[in-house]
Amino acid sequence: MRDDTMVGDDVGLSIAYGGPLPPAPAEGAGVGDWLRHWTSRGTGVAVEDGLRRLTYAELDALADRTADALRDRVRPGDVVGVRLERSVELVATALAVVRLGAVYLPLGPNFGAQRLDLVRRTVRVACVVAAADAGGTDPDRIPLPAAPGPDARATVAAFTPVPSEAAPVPADTGYVVLTSGTSGTPRAIAVGQDALAALVRWYHHHAGLGPGEKHSLLINPAFDPHVMELFATLCSGATLAVTPGEACWDPYLLTSWWARAEVTVSNLPTPIADLVLARPWPADLRLRHLGIGGERLRRWPGPDVTATVHNMYGPAEATVTSVVCRLSGRADQADPPPIGAPVAGAVVCVTNAAGRTVARGEPGELRIGGSGLSLACFGDRGGAPFVAPPPELADLDRVYPTGDRVRMGSDGVLEFLGRVDDQVKVSGVRVEPAEVEVALERDPGVARAAVVATSSPAGLRLTAFVQPRPGCRIDADEVLSGVRGWLPEQAVPAVLRVVDPMPVTANGKTDRAALADLVSTPAGSPQDTEGLTEQQRLVLAVCRDLLDRPETTLDDHFAEIGGNSLMAARLLAALENATGTRLRASALLRQPDLAGIAALLDGVPVAASRPTRDG
């Protein structure tokens, strides 16, 4: 349970230390040296991507050619944005950035143009690498070398003038990652090369990576956990297996791919892990190590799960993972799994509102110190969001207050209790409601916006309330479409409601309690189910429940009423549970409306719900 944790001398206080960092995965002083160690050997498969297989020698050559193409324009310390999907091209670009001594900024393929403009004004981005067919109007573009083998995808590097207000990142930055900010702009977090190296050393040892192992590249490349997957795997001489698109969120396709690709190590966002653990565990998997993180995990693995499962927790400001818990060896599994104890190099404490360490067993805010803390933060509030450590940790120069409420047990293991502020997590992504509200208020017809997060069967769901400007008419679809360029997908509200006036409290602040009451009030009348087929009634009932949207009708398009990939996975699971028939994700997503989804089940009898692992 404690994962090699060392507690402090005074075990009565909520302080715990991770053990010392394990040995490096290869010769050399850091990630660049470790990558060169394995690529110079040239043996073994480095990356699998569909039908493409690149050996370490081939990946080495592609990374060198990519670095050479950028060398005249990208200097050491420059930030390189990468808008690529999980692919050989993404991996080669990341290695090329390291070889140039530049800074990797993962953006993901669907990063909005307006949001990118905000980022460019926050930190100095030298160029952005994207698919050649991804569009864009940047006139200064250079092609990058193509990968060997079939299905090569052309990529380009686009250069734009750097705004004068953009800040340089510290000289020893390894990568930059973006999170949601409270002021309406993203927060850019600069993670040092030493912190990245510490993460790789810990995870290499923790997951048992080395030649012969195969690790999935599954996490969305817009988020920092994929950095751990990518660099730790290739710094260990293992194989990185690119997860096919739909398998990233469909539990059936994912476990089938794990078996087919003979994956041995994988990480999953918590919402997808919950669906995977709800299904019977396939007997033909080679998967031996599974990490889960991003949100509160509420499910323990069942006795049929043959992989060792770890619950992982860590904010981006502390480099991906700060505490971890092995989910085994516990007879009483009535309570949700704990988040665990600190990883190697980390120090954690639980404090009260005054910043003093509380006794074990008392709740408080989790604060993190040690080798994983980032160097600096840009945008949002500006500066590094660190504070002085409590007196009991005077050997540390700073700690990061996470904003998460936890409780430390007598064994040093942390239990997650919730948040101390307004921040929420939607599908594993940190979202500041204030940033969503600012994006909504960019619409010229919106005078005021407020966002409320409520629980639904598919997890937290954002509902936006907007007050129109005098004389303006609000089209909900148009407003939501407009914010997609400013926000990550997970931060786009599922529903937008117009209120006029916005309810306020006695002191003039937005009355969020009143808005939360409105969330449960249907915006329209539900469609009468009389005369519908049993398949139509099933689809309608499941979608209303999943989306917490009683007004849903069969004419609605799933994606347009708030359905995302996670909800689609839950919809597939619910339909299979009720009918015994498993629809393909691609077929479901192609349907023009819910009636089309119901038509896929024509003639299939609807039975009583089958039991899940929860009973």
Side-chain angles (χ1 to χ4, degrees):
M1 290 284 291
R2 284 171 45 194
D3 214 77
D4 300 326
T5 298
M6 300 187 302
V7 299
D9 292 335
D10 185 353
V11 295
L13 290 177
S14 294
I15 297 174
Y17 296 82
L21 289 171
E27 299 173 356
V31 167
D33 291 339
W34 302 334
L35 290 170
R36 276 292 191 189
H37 171 88
W38 292 105
T39 57
S40 64
R41 294 191 172 197
T43 57
V45 176
V47 186
E48 292 184 358
D49 181 4
L51 298 176
R52 298 191 287 176
R53 305 284 190 278
L54 265 66
T55 66
Y56 270 93
E58 291 171 327
L59 179 61
D60 180 63
L62 178 59
D64 272 347
R65 294 199 306 273
T66 303
D68 288 343
L70 295 170
R71 199 175 305 278
D72 291 340
R73 307 287 298 274
V74 177
R75 305 291 185 226
D78 284 351
V79 177
V80 177
V82 181
R83 293 178 71 184
L84 296 173
E85 60 186 15
R86 309 167 189 87
S87 62
V88 164
E89 289 75 16
L90 171 72
V91 176
T93 300
L95 265 63
V97 170
V98 172
R99 292 185 178 180
L100 290 167
V103 177
Y104 179 51
L105 169 59
L107 300 172
N110 301 316
F111 204 82
Q114 293 94 334
R115 189 170 173 82
L116 179 58
D117 186 57
L118 289 177
V119 173
R120 282 175 164 148
R121 297 204 301 267
T122 302
V123 293
R124 294 180 183 174
V125 178
C127 69
V128 174
V129 177
D133 58 359
T137 58
D138 305 300
D140 189 1
R141 292 153 54 104
I142 61 173
L144 298 180
D151 303 322
R153 302 157 192 168
T155 58
V156 297
F159 295 80
T160 57
V162 177
S164 59
E165 66 267 32
V169 297
D172 52 351
T173 300
Y175 70 91
V176 173
V177 67
L178 304 173
T179 66
S180 187
T182 59
S183 63
T185 59
R187 174 186 291 184
I189 300 167
V191 176
Q193 295 173 9
D194 288 346
L196 175 58
L199 174 73
V200 168
R201 287 174 62 175
W202 167 76
Y203 188 64
H204 152 77
H205 174 76
H206 170 73
L209 292 173
E213 296 290 336
K214 187 178 291 187
H215 196 307
S216 64
L217 183 61
L218 183 146
I219 302 298
N220 187 327
F223 307 117
D224 56 326
H226 97 278
V227 172
M228 181 176 73
E229 295 182 322
L230 191 158
F231 288 114
T233 300
L234 297 180
C235 284
S236 304
T239 299
L240 195 63
V242 177
T243 309
E246 289 183 2
C248 292
W249 55 269
D250 184 317
Y252 176 83
L253 295 180
L254 174 62
T255 54
S256 298
W257 175 75
W258 276 343
R260 188 169 62 253
E262 299 185 326
V263 172
T264 59
V265 181
S266 188
N267 289 322
L268 289 180
T270 307
I272 302 302
D274 183 69
L275 294 174
V276 169
L277 295 178
R279 301 178 62 88
W281 191 256
D284 57 348
L285 296 185
R286 289 191 59 198
L287 191 76
R288 59 170 185 78
H289 183 105
L290 176 62
I292 300 172
E295 292 184 26
R296 181 191 300 200
L297 182 64
R298 292 175 170 82
R299 181 191 299 274
W300 290 78
D304 58 336
V305 176
T306 54
T308 301
V309 180
H310 289 84
N311 194 18
M312 304 166 72
Y313 164 95
E317 291 84 352
T319 314
V320 183
T321 303
S322 302
V323 299
V324 65
C325 183
R326 179 173 175 172
L327 302 184
S328 62
R330 175 165 172 163
D332 176 18
Q333 297 184 356
D335 296 329
I339 58 174
V343 303
V347 183
V348 300
C349 62
V350 184
T351 65
N352 59 22
R356 299 299 297 266
T357 307
V358 302
R360 296 203 175 190
E362 293 184 13
E365 181 183 23
L366 174 61
R367 299 191 174 192
I368 301 172
S371 60
L373 293 189
S374 60
L375 298 176
C377 296
F378 303 89
D380 193 22
R381 293 175 297 200
F386 304 110
V387 298
E392 300 83 7
L393 292 174
D395 54 324
L396 300 180
D397 60 346
R398 58 190 180 136
V399 292
Y400 173 66
T402 64
D404 287 328
R405 290 186 71 248
V406 299
R407 181 187 295 113
M408 182 180 290
S410 59
D411 57 357
V413 173
L414 293 163
E415 173 191 1
F416 183 83
L417 302 176
R419 288 290 298 177
V420 299
D421 57 18
D422 293 332
Q423 187 186 98
V424 297
K425 278 200 170 183
V426 181
S427 298
V429 177
R430 280 166 46 178
V431 175
E432 294 281 1
E435 182 177 3
V436 183
E437 291 163 1
V438 169
L440 290 163
E441 289 168 1
R442 294 180 189 277
D443 188 286
V446 174
R448 189 173 181 180
V451 173
V452 175
T454 54
S455 297
S456 76
L460 276 185
R461 172 178 181 266
L462 297 181
T463 299
F465 293 89
V466 297
Q467 177 180 333
R469 294 187 183 277
C472 293
R473 178 182 174 277
I474 296 294
D475 183 299
D477 292 338
E478 288 184 5
V479 174
L480 291 178
S481 177
V483 301
R484 293 183 187 279
W486 298 100
L487 300 171
E489 175 191 355
Q490 294 81 358
V492 177
V495 176
L496 185 141
R497 306 272 288 272
V498 177
V499 289
D500 193 9
M502 184 76 70
V504 294
T505 61
N507 60 6
K509 294 184 178 181
T510 300
D511 190 340
R512 296 184 183 275
L515 293 177
D517 290 339
L518 291 176
V519 170
S520 60
T521 303
S525 299
Q527 176 175 324
D528 188 354
T529 59
E530 184 178 351
L532 301 184
T533 67
E534 59 179 355
Q535 295 81 10
Q536 289 173 329
R537 287 196 296 270
L538 170 66
V539 169
L540 199 55
V542 170
C543 289
R544 286 174 176 171
D545 185 41
L546 275 178
L547 301 171
D548 194 20
R549 190 176 185 271
E551 67 269 26
T552 298
T553 73
L554 290 173
D555 296 327
D556 288 325
H557 187 282
F558 185 68
E560 293 175 357
I561 57 175
N564 55 27
S565 57
L566 172 61
M567 292 182 183
R570 292 185 179 275
L571 174 58
L572 287 170
L575 297 181
E576 180 181 7
N577 190 43
T579 66
T581 297
R582 191 184 179 283
L583 300 178
R584 289 196 61 85
S586 56
L588 183 147
L589 295 176
R590 282 198 303 265
Q591 300 311 309
D593 50 29
L594 300 189
I597 296 175
L600 297 175
L601 295 170
D602 279 353
V604 177
V606 177
S609 295
R610 294 166 171 78
T612 65
R613 202 188 291 278
D614 284 334

